[in-house]
Amino acid sequence: MSVEKVLAISGKPGLYELKIQTRSGFIAESLIDGKRLTVGLRSNVSLLSEISIYTETAELKLFEVFAKIATKENNGPALDHKATNNDLLAYFGEVVPDFDRDRVYVSDIKKVLNWYNILQKANYIANLTAPAVTTTGTVTINNSESVEEAVVVEATEEKPKAKRAPKKKTEDKE
């Protein structure tokens, strides 16, 4: 389960995980019921990792907002998105105190809380808030100490093959 592959599809309720890319679009799986659907290239799709919330100073990535909600709720469910507008605004104000009240609407807050609760039920929130594990140091091999080095291999981008120019039409001379 990768949060980078979670997306919202316009006109379809809930959240989906990108599964397979096809020639005409891709196949996505619902995080709610596990059903798969084919999504065409012309569909309006948003990756959650690309969505931000306006604040008074800058924009805050949606997954950062999810992490703040998870901290507040101890990785549990958030306030139901069907709560009253005043309750939603008060709750979101506790999570993101400096959110821009002129550009973030109640409908946006409802989506954020609904999406968080869907992700929380599907165990994505635990993965989102888990600290990244990094290791550095020395490795002992055959009773001798050696320093582990990271090797970075730079990927070269393949250039597409040049297309042939179309043949010029020759006019018949009479």
Side-chain angles (χ1 to χ4, degrees):
M1 290 195 279
S2 172
V3 269
E4 289 82 28
K5 293 182 177 182
V6 176
L7 42 96
I9 302 170
S10 182
K12 305 283 183 192
L15 293 177
Y16 297 84
E17 182 178 16
L18 176 66
K19 287 295 184 183
I20 303 167
Q21 185 172 353
T22 64
R23 279 183 275 153
S24 61
F26 59 90
I27 296 174
E29 185 177 295
S30 171
L31 295 181
I32 297 172
D33 58 12
K35 291 183 180 177
R36 290 186 174 205
L37 71 120
T38 303
V39 181
L41 293 175
R42 294 181 184 220
S43 298
N44 191 6
V45 176
S46 300
L47 285 169
L48 294 192
S49 60
E50 300 297 320
I51 298 174
S52 297
I53 298 294
Y54 294 114
T55 66
E56 297 294 337
T57 55
E59 293 181 4
L60 187 63
K61 290 286 187 185
L62 185 60
F63 285 119
E64 293 176 33
V65 175
F66 290 160
K68 288 180 178 234
I69 295 171
T71 301
K72 176 180 175 29
E73 299 298 339
N74 198 21
N75 288 341
L79 177 70
D80 186 26
H81 68 282
K82 295 178 182 176
T84 67
N85 290 354
N86 290 336
D87 290 343
L88 291 168
L89 288 167
Y91 182 86
F92 204 71
E94 291 174 21
V95 174
V96 185
D98 65 335
F99 80 94
D100 189 338
R101 284 163 171 73
D102 293 330
R103 297 194 289 177
V104 178
Y105 302 108
V106 173
S107 60
D108 300 326
I109 296 170
K110 286 180 179 185
K111 283 181 190 175
V112 168
L113 294 178
N114 186 28
W115 290 344
Y116 172 87
N117 285 330
I118 291 170
L119 291 172
Q120 190 272 336
K121 242 183 194 176
N123 295 323
Y124 277 76
I125 295 301
N127 296 340
L128 181 67
T129 58
V133 177
T134 57
T135 58
T136 58
T138 60
V139 178
T140 305
I141 300 173
N142 296 333
N143 295 330
S144 63
E145 200 172 276
S146 64
V147 178
E148 186 176 324
E149 295 181 22
V151 178
V152 178
V153 178
E154 190 172 312
T156 57
E157 187 176 313
E158 285 187 35
K159 294 181 182 178
K161 293 181 180 179
K163 293 182 180 179
R164 289 187 200 171
K167 292 183 179 179
K168 292 183 181 179
K169 291 183 180 180
T170 56
E171 293 181 21
D172 293 334
K173 294 182 183 176
E174 293 182 25

